[in-house]
Amino acid sequence: MSIQTTQLRKTYNQDTDFPVHAVKQLDLSIEQGEFVAVMGPSGSGKTTLLNMIGGIDIPSAGTVIIDGIDICALKDKALIAFRRDNIGFIFQDYSLLPVLTALENVEFVMQLQGHSEKECRERAITLLDQVGLGEQLHKIPSKLSGGQQQRVAVARALAPSPRFVMADEPTANLDAKSTAELLDIMQQLNEKEGTTFIFSTHDPRVIKRARRVIVFEDGQLTEDRAQ
Amino acid sequence: MLIKLAWRNLWRNKLRTAIMLSAMAFGLIGVVTMIGFMNGMYGNMIDNAISWQTSHVQVHHQDFVDNPETTLAIVEPELITAELDKISEVIAWSERFIVDGMVASARSSRGVRVNGVDIDAEARVTPIASSVKEGSWLPAEGRHPVVVSLKTAQRLRLKLGSKVVITFSNAEKDVTGAAFRVSGFFSTPSSNFDDGNIYVRRTDLMAMAGIDGSHEIAVLLDDKNKMSNALAISVRDKIRLITSSENSVRDWQQIQPMLASIIAQMGPSNAILLGIFVLAMGFGVVNIMLMSVFERTREFGVLMAVGMQKHKVFALIIFETSLLGVTGATLGLMSSLGLIELLQITGIPLGNMAEGLGAFGVDTTLYPQVAASEYRYIFITVVLVCVLAALYPARQILKQRPVDAMAEKH
Ligand SMILES: Nc1ncnc2c1ncn2[C@@H]1O[C@H](COP(=O)(O)OP(=O)(O)O)[C@@H](O)[C@H]1O
Ligand SMILES: [Mg+2]
């Protein structure tokens, strides 16, 4: 169970005079259970990479193979279902539904999978408890702090029991304390449940906690180290 | 969950939604009141025409219709009346002996249609007896009573008990005349009718004319549906079967083709009224759905990223617009219903307008009418248009890939 990219490339504005090579010829392999930080300056292509291996963006060339499935070849509908069941997303701006409560935000993605209401409720409460929001179940996002919202987002990403979680600069908007709390939670989940986390960042405190660091510069992998 | 989400999304921009809903509600109140007003006016016109002029079915000698000569009486009227007695939907019928003649007072004279009627039968078929404003309806006793309209009385300067002379050509084409005494003044909603009709007893008129019989049989049916002449047609055809081909049997829409055209244009004219409103509303809904969908482009991108299938995103948008339509239509129609119910009690006084409309046989106070089927029709149209209005914004969103949708900044 792994993510495998071969000769992965993404070029924006391909047919114009100023093509942007966001990701260049990338061969990368990430195993189940890893806790990986993708590091690099702004504009180096981290977001583009995460989007492609998360199946929400299409590469210009090359393949992304997850558990033997070439996700680039999947049809729209199958791809959405694949993402729903296998990949969780955590976004920099949290991206919770503002009209739903914390609990409903988490339940919602499980309901998309077709679980019963009772199942969704139980798992959502368990997860929100785990991220320390057992007391805030019925608050809407705007009534929560940034750190709390991001923890709801973590619960939401994990609710459908995905095997991979893509987190694009999850701590960029958080203060030091919230960042540390969030990393604790992610690390725990990684260790306990074996969920693979791939997160991009340029925050040295976050990089310190990663077990594998991929350094990205100008669309190219310049360093890949375990720590 | 999807519906809950849609409902909450609808209220995200409370002011915008409230403004749209108010616009829909007030627009609908306007449309429904207009439709009710038109229905009330035309319905009243038809009611009055049926009760005063055409009844539901009339029988004449076929030539009498174009050339009302005294000699052109209905052939074998007793066969017809015997048949009418057998038909259960027939409430009443009235045999009339009709001549066109002159009525003269000491001051002046006027050309009128003299209706020779059987007192009780006529009172059952038309509201004439109850429309006598002064004096009384034709008495059974007494020599040569006549009932004229208030208008004719004014023109001829008549008082109750005044003497008038009625003259006309009898069966031998000789002018015949006799003195009558005014027993009452009537007034109907139609000024034209009042101008041209007076009532005497049929027996008196037959004696003057020198022949017996009747020129017109007017039949009143137990028919609540004034928008259709179906029952009248069936009774008409039953009479046609048993009567001589020299007689003409017509239903009310044949007698007064204008009534048929009024009914025929009511549907389209109401539809146009509704159409204009719905079109305006449709653009309004397109506008707010475009705004509300496009300002959430990123959110829809996230929904697709976390695994919401496109048809569900589509359904979400359609639910939102449907809820908007249902809420707006319910608000609008409920308020309209209340207003119409109120106007049903108070009526709309037509004031000066009634004078002009009097010629068409419209009462001075109008009671707007809106059928349950019209409310249903409006409701469905409004909701449908809301759904249609959201199709374009919904399609635009679904065309996007999640990353592109998420890349949109707002
Ligand atoms: N939709 C896009 N269209 C054109 N260029 C883009 C688009 N998205 C990203 N880029 C460019 O691709 C490069 C990589 O961007 P990105 O993956 O967002 O980097 P990072 O996440 O490391 O900041 C940048 O030069 C950026 O300007
Ligand atoms: Mg980025």
Side-chain angles (χ1 to χ4, degrees), chain B residues 131-134 148-150 153 158-160 182 184-187:
Chain B
S131 302
V132 172
K133 307 290 181 203
E134 290 173 39
V148 302
S149 72
L150 280 168
L158 298 175
K159 291 204 278 288
L160 286 176
V182 177
F185 300 132
F186 69 87
S187 165

Side-chain angles (χ1 to χ4, degrees), chain B residues 138-213:
Chain B
L138 295 170
E141 311 291 322
R143 210 177 123 71
H144 284 186
V146 60
V147 172
V148 302
S149 72
L150 280 168
K151 244 182 129 186
T152 307
Q154 251 172 30
R155 291 226 165 94
L156 301 183
R157 314 250 169 124
L158 298 175
K159 291 204 278 288
L160 286 176
S162 295
K163 217 163 39 164
V164 292
V165 174
I166 296 172
T167 49
F168 60 91
S169 312
N170 68 11
E172 272 80 50
K173 306 249 187 233
D174 296 326
V175 173
T176 175
F180 284 75
R181 201 170 284 283
V182 177
S183 81
F185 300 132
F186 69 87
S187 165
T188 76
S190 164
S191 48
N192 281 350
F193 185 87
D194 288 8
D195 260 347
N197 287 278
I198 66 172
Y199 288 89
V200 300
R201 291 188 302 227
R202 184 156 78 108
T203 46
D204 294 347
L205 211 53
M206 289 194 298
M208 282 171 73
I211 54 165
D212 279 358

Side-chain angles (χ1 to χ4, degrees), chain B residues 1 4 13 68 75 81 84 138-139 180 248 255 292 334 344 350 354 403:
Chain B
M1 185 64 142
K4 182 162 79 184
N13 194 326
V75 178
T81 55
L84 287 173
L138 295 170
F180 284 75
S248 124
I255 300 165
S292 104
M334 285 305 207
Q344 291 264 342
L350 290 180
V403 259

Side-chain angles (χ1 to χ4, degrees), chain A residues 56 77 83 95 99 104, chain B residues 8 298 304 309-310 403:
Chain A
I56 53 178
K77 206 174 160 185
R83 281 200 302 263
S95 293
V99 295
E104 288 164 341
Chain B
R8 291 193 198 163
R298 186 183 152 77
M304 291 189 270
Q309 289 292 356
K310 288 190 170 185
V403 259

Side-chain angles (χ1 to χ4, degrees), chain A residues 51 56-58 76-77 80-81 83-84 89 91 93 95 97-100 104 108-109 111-112 156, chain B residues 1-2 4-5 8-9 12 298-299 302-310 312 401-403 406:
Chain A
N51 286 346
I56 53 178
D57 199 357
I58 294 167
D76 229 20
K77 206 174 160 185
I80 291 178
R83 281 200 302 263
R84 179 193 66 203
F89 290 94
F91 303 97
D93 66 353
S95 293
L97 289 177
V99 295
L100 297 185
E104 288 164 341
F108 182 66
V109 287
Q111 287 182 1
L112 292 177
R156 175 179 72 177
Chain B
M1 185 64 142
L2 219 50
K4 182 162 79 184
L5 185 55
R8 291 193 198 163
N9 279 336
R12 257 161 108 150
R298 186 183 152 77
E299 192 174 304
V302 170
L303 284 175
M304 291 189 270
V306 301
M308 192 169 185
Q309 289 292 356
K310 288 190 170 185
K312 283 207 174 144
R401 279 178 303 129
V403 259
M406 286 192 296

